[in-house]
Amino acid sequence: MALFASRKSGLTWAVHLTVVLLVALWVFPTFGLLVSSFRTSDQISSSGWWKALSTQETQNSPVRIAGEEDEVDGKFVIRGELFPTSDTELSNWGTSSLKPNAYEPGEVADLGDGNTLTVDNRGAFVLSGPASFAEQRSPRVFTTAATPPEFTLQNYETVLFSSRGGEGVGQAFINTLTVSIPATVIPILIAAFAAYALAWMRFPGRALLIAAVVGLLVVPLQLALIPLLTLHNQVGIGKSYLGIWLAHTGFGLPLAIYLLRNYMVGLPRDIIENARVDGATDFQIFTRIVLPLSFPALASFAIFQFLWTWNDLLVALVFLGASDDKLVLTGRLVNLMGSRGGDWEILATSAFVSIAVPLMVFFAMQRYLVRGLLAGSVK
Amino acid sequence: MNPALQGLITIILGVGGCVGYFYFSNIVLDRFIFPATGPQAGRNINRANQVRPWLFLAPAMLALGIYLAYPVVATLWLSVTDRDLGGAFVGLANYRQMVSEPKFWEALQNNILWLIFVPAMATVMGLIIAQLTDRIWWGSIAKSLIFMPMAISFVGASVIWKLIYDTRPLGSEQIGVLNALYLYFGGDAPQTWLTIPFWNSFFLMIVLIWIQTGFAMVILSAALRGIPEETIEAAVIDGANPLQIFFKIKVPQIMGTIVVVWTTITIVVLKVFDIVYAMTNGQWETQVLANYMYGKLFVGIGDWGVGSASAIVILLLVSPILVWNVYSASKETK
């Protein structure tokens, strides 16, 4: 029995460990981007982000010792600074390119012929020897600088507010918001009325319509691009915000109707029948009873639609266009990946700006999102 | 006008218009067309109730018709006409041209790889994680973190994973995790992962698996919880071990849900465009149908015929699932 218990707790530990590993694996990529967005471009290109918390060591270019010679007690001495202009913290130094890290700061190096050299951690050196250095080749000093971990908000400032550096990420953020909010709000009401009719009103062809909605749910919207763009151009909407709002409304409706209908069908029949008996019209039943009770489903759909419109690239490229003043965040990111693919500080920060809003929505309203997913697929 | 202000006005007009339409159309119906007064009051009420569903449905049907139903027909028509000939009917010429292009076959081949690999991996991973997290006290936190990529755009995910696949020349410090690990475990030179034909498609698929696993996990977790306790208790009493319980008791009971998850991810895979567009744009033999189609339609002058033909191919690939969904939905409404 004891054996059984220990095996059982061993299994529990294995489960805990596996889940920790899986969670780490899933969070790790996003976390890397987040950390990178707080590092300077030098840091990003000189070390992986997972080393961001450790002290960075970088090799400085060698400096040849030079300076005024003093004669002290029969010895010739040169004192000076290796880096008179910059503030550097040294971790190691050396006098040969083969062993650039031979000495600790403060250690005295024997250079032969009675010459000695010492360098402290700020780069101040003392070279001394029995003969004048004027006729000798003075030694070169190799140094390794230690940079303590450092994080900066500079990237966010550049990306969001500087007009050149961020290449319009701030503008793209506003554009995305302008696209996604109306595109989230408008379909809800249209869908709610339709869903009520499909759930609680009797009329010929109802089953057929429900089947049609289910079918349209999976129609790839790739099919819609050219015909609708042509239509928009003919009507005079062209590539504009109005066009993309309408497009997102149309594409979002099947899911909205499907989700809301599934939810409304599940509402207690008694309440609705009683209201009918009391003489309430369908319009009253809908606005006073069904709509308030359907709040969770409305919230679910609103989150779906918001995430989808915020994250969408294809519909925005086609119906809003790729011109600079109308580009949304996703489109902007794709452009940055092409034009500044090596500038990870800009890319990582811009990506995080675009991810931040959906992530906040996600964590704040996860409950409704899960509920919506369950209503939308497990049937 | 400022687009943000325009947006606000649109919200007000849109919502106000909807409310106004539904409200006033009902009033018009009840008071003027079929008034519930006079000698024919009873008949009028019945008639009004026959018309009302269509009032409720009209805006949605209009939008669905214009934005989803009409384009299917229009695309079908575009795929058998030629834009350069002023839209003349050319039969299957576009399809013939499409199948003569090696890029199309490459895209189709890759799409099939995606279709096999992504739904399978995402569903299996989702199922394993759902089962494991249901047994521990911090399971909901773990689930929430694994579910998180669902909220990230495909483009954002592409940036995230591009950092992981990043390559620096030999000798300088690697900033991509994959290359750093590869060199750490004895690799000789850093690899440019996204340019290795065949395998690079898998590196792109991982991005989608990373996103979709959370979805599979959430749905399957709910299904696992819905399994009646008695069946599991009975198995425990009969001496089944945890693996047997999982594979022989639990999985068969949630098979229906597994199929739903699988097909849902399959549809996502068929439409996948952003990841390929952002990470490789179909270079190095990573083309997929949706990106092939986008390239045909919008790059250069745009070949609408072949582009539409490839869109129809995507529709054909989706249609078995479409038919199945419609079939099971109508069975359920009866």
Side-chain angles (χ1 to χ4, degrees), chain A residues 299-326:
Chain A
S300 297
F301 170 71
I303 297 166
F304 271 117
Q305 181 76 354
F306 180 78
L307 290 180
W308 152 245
T309 51
W310 183 279
N311 289 338
D312 157 78
L313 171 68
L314 185 57
V315 178
L317 278 183
V318 174
F319 290 100
L320 193 57
S323 67
D324 247 5
D325 55 323
K326 285 194 205 150

mmCIF file of all heavy atoms in Angstrom, chain A residues 299-326:
data_model
loop_
_atom_site.group_PDB
_atom_site.id
_atom_site.type_symbol
_atom_site.label_atom_id
_atom_site.label_comp_id
_atom_site.label_asym_id
_atom_site.label_seq_id
_atom_site.Cartn_x
_atom_site.Cartn_y
_atom_site.Cartn_z
ATOM 1 N N ALA A 299 -21.251 39.008 -25.405
ATOM 2 C CA ALA A 299 -19.869 39.308 -25.014
ATOM 3 C C ALA A 299 -18.902 38.360 -25.712
ATOM 4 O O ALA A 299 -17.853 38.782 -26.210
ATOM 5 C CB ALA A 299 -19.721 39.204 -23.506
ATOM 6 N N SER A 300 -19.255 37.069 -25.747
ATOM 7 C CA SER A 300 -18.382 36.103 -26.424
ATOM 8 C C SER A 300 -18.124 36.513 -27.857
ATOM 9 O O SER A 300 -16.991 36.561 -28.319
ATOM 10 C CB SER A 300 -19.018 34.720 -26.446
ATOM 11 O OG SER A 300 -19.186 34.248 -25.163
ATOM 12 N N PHE A 301 -19.221 36.815 -28.551
ATOM 13 C CA PHE A 301 -19.038 37.159 -29.956
ATOM 14 C C PHE A 301 -18.237 38.441 -30.094
ATOM 15 O O PHE A 301 -17.376 38.557 -30.969
ATOM 16 C CB PHE A 301 -20.366 37.304 -30.689
ATOM 17 C CG PHE A 301 -20.165 37.888 -32.052
ATOM 18 C CD1 PHE A 301 -19.567 37.119 -33.040
ATOM 19 C CD2 PHE A 301 -20.485 39.199 -32.326
ATOM 20 C CE1 PHE A 301 -19.311 37.667 -34.284
ATOM 21 C CE2 PHE A 301 -20.225 39.745 -33.568
ATOM 22 C CZ PHE A 301 -19.647 38.974 -34.545
ATOM 23 N N ALA A 302 -18.523 39.428 -29.229
ATOM 24 C CA ALA A 302 -17.809 40.702 -29.326
ATOM 25 C C ALA A 302 -16.301 40.472 -29.200
ATOM 26 O O ALA A 302 -15.503 41.065 -29.935
ATOM 27 C CB ALA A 302 -18.295 41.668 -28.252
ATOM 28 N N ILE A 303 -15.897 39.585 -28.274
ATOM 29 C CA ILE A 303 -14.463 39.326 -28.119
ATOM 30 C C ILE A 303 -13.896 38.663 -29.361
ATOM 31 O O ILE A 303 -12.852 39.064 -29.871
ATOM 32 C CB ILE A 303 -14.215 38.438 -26.890
ATOM 33 C CG1 ILE A 303 -14.667 39.172 -25.648
ATOM 34 C CG2 ILE A 303 -12.753 38.090 -26.771
ATOM 35 C CD1 ILE A 303 -14.777 38.256 -24.475
ATOM 36 N N PHE A 304 -14.603 37.651 -29.861
ATOM 37 C CA PHE A 304 -14.150 37.000 -31.086
ATOM 38 C C PHE A 304 -13.940 38.002 -32.199
ATOM 39 O O PHE A 304 -12.900 38.037 -32.846
ATOM 40 C CB PHE A 304 -15.200 36.007 -31.582
ATOM 41 C CG PHE A 304 -15.032 34.659 -31.014
ATOM 42 C CD1 PHE A 304 -16.002 34.117 -30.212
ATOM 43 C CD2 PHE A 304 -13.888 33.940 -31.265
ATOM 44 C CE1 PHE A 304 -15.847 32.873 -29.677
ATOM 45 C CE2 PHE A 304 -13.728 32.693 -30.734
ATOM 46 C CZ PHE A 304 -14.718 32.160 -29.938
ATOM 47 N N GLN A 305 -14.961 38.788 -32.412
ATOM 48 C CA GLN A 305 -14.935 39.701 -33.536
ATOM 49 C C GLN A 305 -13.847 40.747 -33.345
ATOM 50 O O GLN A 305 -13.152 41.102 -34.294
ATOM 51 C CB GLN A 305 -16.319 40.350 -33.704
ATOM 52 C CG GLN A 305 -16.447 41.303 -34.859
ATOM 53 C CD GLN A 305 -16.557 40.605 -36.203
ATOM 54 O OE1 GLN A 305 -16.437 39.380 -36.293
ATOM 55 N NE2 GLN A 305 -16.751 41.376 -37.251
ATOM 56 N N PHE A 306 -13.676 41.206 -32.113
ATOM 57 C CA PHE A 306 -12.639 42.208 -31.867
ATOM 58 C C PHE A 306 -11.262 41.615 -32.130
ATOM 59 O O PHE A 306 -10.437 42.209 -32.830
ATOM 60 C CB PHE A 306 -12.718 42.732 -30.438
ATOM 61 C CG PHE A 306 -11.662 43.762 -30.143
ATOM 62 C CD1 PHE A 306 -11.814 45.065 -30.585
ATOM 63 C CD2 PHE A 306 -10.507 43.422 -29.466
ATOM 64 C CE1 PHE A 306 -10.831 46.011 -30.355
ATOM 65 C CE2 PHE A 306 -9.516 44.356 -29.223
ATOM 66 C CZ PHE A 306 -9.684 45.654 -29.669
ATOM 67 N N LEU A 307 -10.994 40.436 -31.582
ATOM 68 C CA LEU A 307 -9.689 39.801 -31.797
ATOM 69 C C LEU A 307 -9.459 39.568 -33.287
ATOM 70 O O LEU A 307 -8.385 39.803 -33.816
ATOM 71 C CB LEU A 307 -9.604 38.464 -31.054
ATOM 72 C CG LEU A 307 -9.544 38.533 -29.533
ATOM 73 C CD1 LEU A 307 -9.461 37.133 -28.951
ATOM 74 C CD2 LEU A 307 -8.352 39.351 -29.079
ATOM 75 N N TRP A 308 -10.496 39.107 -33.951
ATOM 76 C CA TRP A 308 -10.364 38.777 -35.364
ATOM 77 C C TRP A 308 -10.107 40.030 -36.197
ATOM 78 O O TRP A 308 -9.213 40.052 -37.041
ATOM 79 C CB TRP A 308 -11.614 38.007 -35.802
ATOM 80 C CG TRP A 308 -11.985 38.136 -37.229
ATOM 81 C CD1 TRP A 308 -13.107 38.705 -37.722
ATOM 82 C CD2 TRP A 308 -11.238 37.679 -38.360
ATOM 83 N NE1 TRP A 308 -13.104 38.646 -39.091
ATOM 84 C CE2 TRP A 308 -11.960 38.017 -39.504
ATOM 85 C CE3 TRP A 308 -10.027 37.036 -38.507
ATOM 86 C CZ2 TRP A 308 -11.523 37.737 -40.788
ATOM 87 C CZ3 TRP A 308 -9.588 36.755 -39.789
ATOM 88 C CH2 TRP A 308 -10.335 37.098 -40.911
ATOM 89 N N THR A 309 -10.849 41.110 -35.936
ATOM 90 C CA THR A 309 -10.637 42.306 -36.744
ATOM 91 C C THR A 309 -9.310 42.990 -36.393
ATOM 92 O O THR A 309 -8.648 43.541 -37.251
ATOM 93 C CB THR A 309 -11.779 43.329 -36.564
ATOM 94 O OG1 THR A 309 -11.973 43.536 -35.175
ATOM 95 C CG2 THR A 309 -13.063 42.813 -37.156
ATOM 96 N N TRP A 310 -8.932 42.938 -35.124
ATOM 97 C CA TRP A 310 -7.663 43.556 -34.718
ATOM 98 C C TRP A 310 -6.490 42.800 -35.348
ATOM 99 O O TRP A 310 -5.504 43.399 -35.781
ATOM 100 C CB TRP A 310 -7.545 43.537 -33.194
ATOM 101 C CG TRP A 310 -6.308 44.218 -32.701
ATOM 102 C CD1 TRP A 310 -5.050 43.695 -32.654
ATOM 103 C CD2 TRP A 310 -6.196 45.555 -32.217
ATOM 104 N NE1 TRP A 310 -4.176 44.606 -32.163
ATOM 105 C CE2 TRP A 310 -4.843 45.767 -31.883
ATOM 106 C CE3 TRP A 310 -7.114 46.593 -32.019
ATOM 107 C CZ2 TRP A 310 -4.387 46.976 -31.368
ATOM 108 C CZ3 TRP A 310 -6.646 47.790 -31.500
ATOM 109 C CH2 TRP A 310 -5.299 47.972 -31.181
ATOM 110 N N ASN A 311 -6.582 41.478 -35.390
ATOM 111 C CA ASN A 311 -5.464 40.667 -35.840
ATOM 112 C C ASN A 311 -5.446 40.417 -37.335
ATOM 113 O O ASN A 311 -4.503 39.864 -37.860
ATOM 114 C CB ASN A 311 -5.491 39.307 -35.117
ATOM 115 C CG ASN A 311 -5.112 39.448 -33.665
ATOM 116 O OD1 ASN A 311 -4.465 40.411 -33.283
ATOM 117 N ND2 ASN A 311 -5.525 38.501 -32.851
ATOM 118 N N ASP A 312 -6.523 40.814 -38.012
ATOM 119 C CA ASP A 312 -6.641 40.489 -39.429
ATOM 120 C C ASP A 312 -5.615 41.235 -40.287
ATOM 121 O O ASP A 312 -5.304 42.397 -40.039
ATOM 122 C CB ASP A 312 -8.047 40.859 -39.902
ATOM 123 C CG ASP A 312 -8.079 41.075 -41.377
ATOM 124 O OD1 ASP A 312 -8.083 40.078 -42.093
ATOM 125 O OD2 ASP A 312 -8.047 42.240 -41.813
ATOM 126 N N LEU A 313 -5.112 40.536 -41.273
ATOM 127 C CA LEU A 313 -4.211 41.175 -42.231
ATOM 128 C C LEU A 313 -4.850 41.232 -43.620
ATOM 129 O O LEU A 313 -4.872 42.275 -44.269
ATOM 130 C CB LEU A 313 -2.894 40.404 -42.305
ATOM 131 C CG LEU A 313 -1.924 40.822 -43.408
ATOM 132 C CD1 LEU A 313 -1.358 42.207 -43.144
ATOM 133 C CD2 LEU A 313 -0.786 39.830 -43.528
ATOM 134 N N LEU A 314 -5.409 40.096 -44.047
ATOM 135 C CA LEU A 314 -5.871 39.961 -45.429
ATOM 136 C C LEU A 314 -6.975 40.960 -45.782
ATOM 137 O O LEU A 314 -6.882 41.685 -46.774
ATOM 138 C CB LEU A 314 -6.369 38.521 -45.635
ATOM 139 C CG LEU A 314 -6.790 38.136 -47.036
ATOM 140 C CD1 LEU A 314 -5.664 38.353 -48.017
ATOM 141 C CD2 LEU A 314 -7.244 36.703 -47.080
ATOM 142 N N VAL A 315 -8.018 41.012 -44.952
ATOM 143 C CA VAL A 315 -9.148 41.895 -45.252
ATOM 144 C C VAL A 315 -8.687 43.354 -45.280
ATOM 145 O O VAL A 315 -9.086 44.136 -46.140
ATOM 146 C CB VAL A 315 -10.287 41.686 -44.228
ATOM 147 C CG1 VAL A 315 -11.432 42.635 -44.506
ATOM 148 C CG2 VAL A 315 -10.777 40.255 -44.271
ATOM 149 N N ALA A 316 -7.790 43.693 -44.350
ATOM 150 C CA ALA A 316 -7.307 45.073 -44.304
ATOM 151 C C ALA A 316 -6.481 45.405 -45.539
ATOM 152 O O ALA A 316 -6.631 46.487 -46.111
ATOM 153 C CB ALA A 316 -6.481 45.289 -43.040
ATOM 154 N N LEU A 317 -5.616 44.490 -45.955
ATOM 155 C CA LEU A 317 -4.800 44.757 -47.147
ATOM 156 C C LEU A 317 -5.680 44.979 -48.359
ATOM 157 O O LEU A 317 -5.418 45.849 -49.183
ATOM 158 C CB LEU A 317 -3.868 43.567 -47.425
ATOM 159 C CG LEU A 317 -2.570 43.469 -46.640
ATOM 160 C CD1 LEU A 317 -1.767 42.276 -47.121
ATOM 161 C CD2 LEU A 317 -1.755 44.738 -46.796
ATOM 162 N N VAL A 318 -6.741 44.185 -48.475
ATOM 163 C CA VAL A 318 -7.556 44.236 -49.677
ATOM 164 C C VAL A 318 -8.561 45.385 -49.646
ATOM 165 O O VAL A 318 -8.693 46.136 -50.598
ATOM 166 C CB VAL A 318 -8.283 42.895 -49.901
ATOM 167 C CG1 VAL A 318 -9.246 42.987 -51.068
ATOM 168 C CG2 VAL A 318 -7.269 41.796 -50.132
ATOM 169 N N PHE A 319 -9.271 45.534 -48.514
ATOM 170 C CA PHE A 319 -10.386 46.491 -48.509
ATOM 171 C C PHE A 319 -10.014 47.878 -48.003
ATOM 172 O O PHE A 319 -10.753 48.823 -48.204
ATOM 173 C CB PHE A 319 -11.557 45.939 -47.699
ATOM 174 C CG PHE A 319 -12.227 44.793 -48.374
ATOM 175 C CD1 PHE A 319 -11.955 43.501 -48.003
ATOM 176 C CD2 PHE A 319 -13.104 45.017 -49.416
ATOM 177 C CE1 PHE A 319 -12.554 42.436 -48.646
ATOM 178 C CE2 PHE A 319 -13.705 43.963 -50.076
ATOM 179 C CZ PHE A 319 -13.429 42.666 -49.694
ATOM 180 N N LEU A 320 -8.848 47.975 -47.306
ATOM 181 C CA LEU A 320 -8.441 49.294 -46.841
ATOM 182 C C LEU A 320 -7.230 49.761 -47.623
ATOM 183 O O LEU A 320 -6.974 50.962 -47.747
ATOM 184 C CB LEU A 320 -8.126 49.239 -45.337
ATOM 185 C CG LEU A 320 -7.982 50.554 -44.614
ATOM 186 C CD1 LEU A 320 -9.230 51.401 -44.780
ATOM 187 C CD2 LEU A 320 -7.722 50.314 -43.152
ATOM 188 N N GLY A 321 -6.464 48.827 -48.134
ATOM 189 C CA GLY A 321 -5.314 49.184 -48.950
ATOM 190 C C GLY A 321 -4.035 49.269 -48.140
ATOM 191 O O GLY A 321 -4.044 49.232 -46.915
ATOM 192 N N ALA A 322 -2.928 49.363 -48.838
ATOM 193 C CA ALA A 322 -1.619 49.327 -48.188
ATOM 194 C C ALA A 322 -0.948 50.688 -48.205
ATOM 195 O O ALA A 322 0.255 50.786 -48.015
ATOM 196 C CB ALA A 322 -0.738 48.293 -48.872
ATOM 197 N N SER A 323 -1.727 51.760 -48.437
ATOM 198 C CA SER A 323 -1.097 53.080 -48.440
ATOM 199 C C SER A 323 -0.715 53.452 -47.013
ATOM 200 O O SER A 323 -1.330 53.000 -46.049
ATOM 201 C CB SER A 323 -2.051 54.118 -49.025
ATOM 202 O OG SER A 323 -3.150 54.296 -48.164
ATOM 203 N N ASP A 324 0.337 54.287 -46.895
ATOM 204 C CA ASP A 324 0.963 54.532 -45.597
ATOM 205 C C ASP A 324 0.015 55.041 -44.520
ATOM 206 O O ASP A 324 0.103 54.646 -43.374
ATOM 207 C CB ASP A 324 2.090 55.548 -45.771
ATOM 208 C CG ASP A 324 3.432 54.892 -45.517
ATOM 209 O OD1 ASP A 324 3.435 53.659 -45.307
ATOM 210 O OD2 ASP A 324 4.440 55.592 -45.523
ATOM 211 N N ASP A 325 -0.924 55.925 -44.899
ATOM 212 C CA ASP A 325 -1.771 56.538 -43.874
ATOM 213 C C ASP A 325 -2.888 55.608 -43.422
ATOM 214 O O ASP A 325 -3.529 55.849 -42.421
ATOM 215 C CB ASP A 325 -2.354 57.850 -44.401
ATOM 216 C CG ASP A 325 -3.099 57.633 -45.704
ATOM 217 O OD1 ASP A 325 -2.636 56.798 -46.509
ATOM 218 O OD2 ASP A 325 -4.134 58.282 -45.923
ATOM 219 N N LYS A 326 -3.140 54.518 -44.187
ATOM 220 C CA LYS A 326 -4.249 53.639 -43.821
ATOM 221 C C LYS A 326 -3.799 52.262 -43.343
ATOM 222 O O LYS A 326 -4.627 51.415 -43.037
ATOM 223 C CB LYS A 326 -5.158 53.452 -45.035
ATOM 224 C CG LYS A 326 -6.030 54.648 -45.335
ATOM 225 C CD LYS A 326 -7.097 54.205 -46.300
ATOM 226 C CE LYS A 326 -7.627 55.330 -47.129
ATOM 227 N NZ LYS A 326 -8.067 54.819 -48.432
#
